[in-house]
Structures are given as C-alpha cells and as structure tokens.
Amino acid sequence: MSFLSIWNELNNLGSFILGGGVSHRQIILSCGGERFVIPVTPKTYKVETEQTNRVVDILDTGEAQLFGNRKLKRLSFSCFFPQPNHAYPFVVGDDRAPSECVELLEKWKEGKKAVRVIITDSPVNLMMSIKSFDYREQDGSRDIYYELKFIEWRDLNTPLANNEKQVEKLTGLKKRPVGTTIPPRPSSIQRARDILDASRKAYGKYKYWRSLRDKNNLKYLALKNLRQIVVDKEQKKS
C-alpha cells in the first residue's frame, strides 16, 4: 500500500471519529420523495450568513449603520463516496456505488429542485439548492472525492393567511383583484438615493428620516433608489 493510500485511510478514519463518531452524525438529503444519506460524514462543514447592512456618512454626524435584510445562507462541505466493496468501518450512510451517488446529485442539481439538507445534532435543517458539485478520483481506489456547495432556497409563492388570490401560471405571481386601484398619494418625492437623502430633499435636514419611515411604513432603512416617498405635510411646515 502506498504512502498516499495509508494517509487517505487515516484521514478517512479521522472523518469517522470527528464527523460520524459514536453518535453517528449524518447528513441527510431529500428531494422529490427521494432520500440520500451521505455515506461518510465530513469532518467539517461551513455555513455562511450575511446581512445587507449599510454604512452611510451623515453630514455633521459621521458614519452611521443602517440595518438591512439577511442574505441567503450558504453551506459547503467535502468528503468522498466510498466503494462498497472496501467495507470501510466509518460508513454511516447509504451503501451506494460512488457513480450512483454522483448520478443522483447531478439529477437533483439539473432538475432545478430544492433539496432539504439536515445535519443531525446541528442547527442545519434548511431547504437549499445545489449551487455546485465537483468530484474527482485521486488515489486509484475508485472512491470518488467531492465538494458540495448549497445556497438557501425560499419559496416566494408561499400563500399568506387569508390570502385567496390566485397565482398566474405564466408569471408565478399573485393576480391583482379586478377593479383594484392604487389610492392617490399626497405630496411626495419622486426619487431619492435612500431614506436619509429623502429626508434632506423633503425637509432640508437629515434628522426627519424617522417621520418618512413611519409615513411610508418602511421596515428596513438600507433601501436604495427610493421612489414616490410620501411626505408628511405638517412636518414639512415645521
């Protein structure tokens, strides 16, 4: 047995100890009624979370941070699909040939379907899509080594409570009720870079941004290119 093969055996055993271990941690994937348990649990996985916070420079005040929405979560891990005839002691998932594992994941990726990803004994239980799937052979063992990257998937057509609007098949968006008109707006600003810029244009000062936020029911302040901002007439006179 070559040194590389011995090193891979030790690395795989470490994967079992640190990933699978006594509790037999598993990564469970499911999509379209099919279920796949990753054969060998990776030693590590990585979840990336970000927020679209924005830092603005306010005149006479300095920098201020505006909170934004959270971005989609990212998940990544790498390991290998073992040949069943090797009878590795650290296999804790499906006993499939490596080629079958590859075919299943490629089918899910190319089918453009969401995949439920669960890592037992961890916070990870997410609906995700497969962003990338890279694989290779490297030591002549016929094991296939891989890298998987996922990105969180959100269903934008989830019906709201008491919402009986029909969904357009062509666009995937909800229909607007017939006869519904948008009520006329009072005095407004046609366009602004953000809430602070809108306050400056409306009142000549940045400090009235809270009034605009409340008047326009803005939850998130890190909004860019605001249009048709409703102005509080009484505030404007003060």
Side-chain angles (χ1 to χ4, degrees):
M1 183 180 290
S2 67
F3 173 78
L4 181 59
S5 298
I6 295 173
W7 186 89
N8 283 326
E9 289 285 350
L10 294 175
N11 185 53
N12 294 338
L13 182 58
S15 176
F16 167 67
I17 295 173
L18 298 178
V22 176
S23 62
H24 298 295
R25 165 171 282 176
Q26 294 179 317
I27 297 181
I28 304 169
L29 311 179
S30 57
C31 176
E34 295 181 284
R35 184 174 181 271
F36 176 47
V37 181
I38 298 294
V40 179
T41 304
K43 291 185 293 185
T44 63
Y45 66 86
K46 181 180 179 182
V47 177
E48 299 177 64
T49 63
E50 292 185 69
Q51 197 90 357
T52 57
N53 297 346
R54 181 184 174 206
V55 175
V56 295
D57 190 4
I58 302 176
L59 187 66
D60 299 329
T61 300
E63 287 188 334
Q65 181 173 229
L66 303 179
F67 288 103
N69 300 325
R70 76 171 184 86
K71 291 187 176 182
L72 298 175
K73 293 180 179 179
R74 273 74 170 170
L75 168 68
S76 60
F77 57 83
S78 60
C79 197
F80 74 103
F81 300 132
Q83 278 287 350
N85 58 9
H86 292 328
Y88 293 131
F90 41 79
V91 173
V92 296
D94 288 6
D95 188 21
R96 304 187 188 212
S99 59
E100 294 177 353
C101 300
V102 169
E103 289 173 4
L104 179 62
L105 291 173
E106 285 192 327
K107 182 181 73 172
W108 287 356
K109 178 172 65 69
E110 296 171 6
K112 302 179 181 179
K113 294 181 179 180
V115 178
R116 170 70 67 181
V117 182
I118 298 174
I119 301 180
T120 58
D121 299 322
S122 85
V124 178
N125 185 343
L126 297 165
M127 290 298 292
M128 313 194 85
S129 64
I130 299 175
K131 182 181 180 183
S132 66
F133 174 45
D134 302 324
Y135 58 91
R136 68 191 184 280
E137 288 190 28
Q138 65 182 34
D139 55 11
S141 65
R142 299 298 178 88
D143 297 334
I144 291 183
Y145 294 77
Y146 67 89
E147 296 177 5
L148 263 171
K149 294 182 180 180
F150 297 87
I151 185 168
E152 185 180 3
W153 180 82
R154 292 182 185 172
D155 186 357
L156 299 181
N157 284 318
T158 301
L160 302 177
N162 301 321
N163 187 349
E164 298 179 353
K165 295 179 183 178
Q166 299 297 315
V167 175
E168 285 278 6
K169 292 183 179 180
L170 182 61
T171 64
L173 303 176
K174 294 184 181 299
K175 295 180 179 179
R176 180 179 299 228
V178 178
T180 299
T181 57
I182 300 175
R185 292 177 177 269
S187 178
S188 62
I189 299 171
Q190 296 303 312
R191 188 180 182 88
R193 291 194 306 273
D194 50 43
I195 190 68
L196 296 175
D197 185 47
S199 177
R200 182 185 62 79
K201 289 183 177 180
Y203 311 123
K205 297 181 179 180
Y206 292 103
K207 67 179 184 179
Y208 297 116
W209 62 267
R210 291 184 179 85
S211 176
L212 288 178
R213 177 198 63 186
D214 297 337
K215 190 73 176 177
N216 292 273
N217 296 319
L218 296 175
K219 290 184 178 180
Y220 308 105
L221 303 182
L223 297 174
K224 300 179 182 179
N225 298 324
L226 300 175
R227 298 183 181 182
Q228 286 294 105
I229 305 301
V230 179
V231 175
D232 188 333
K233 294 182 180 180
E234 296 301 321
Q235 180 70 62
K236 193 172 183 179
K237 293 177 182 179
S238 62

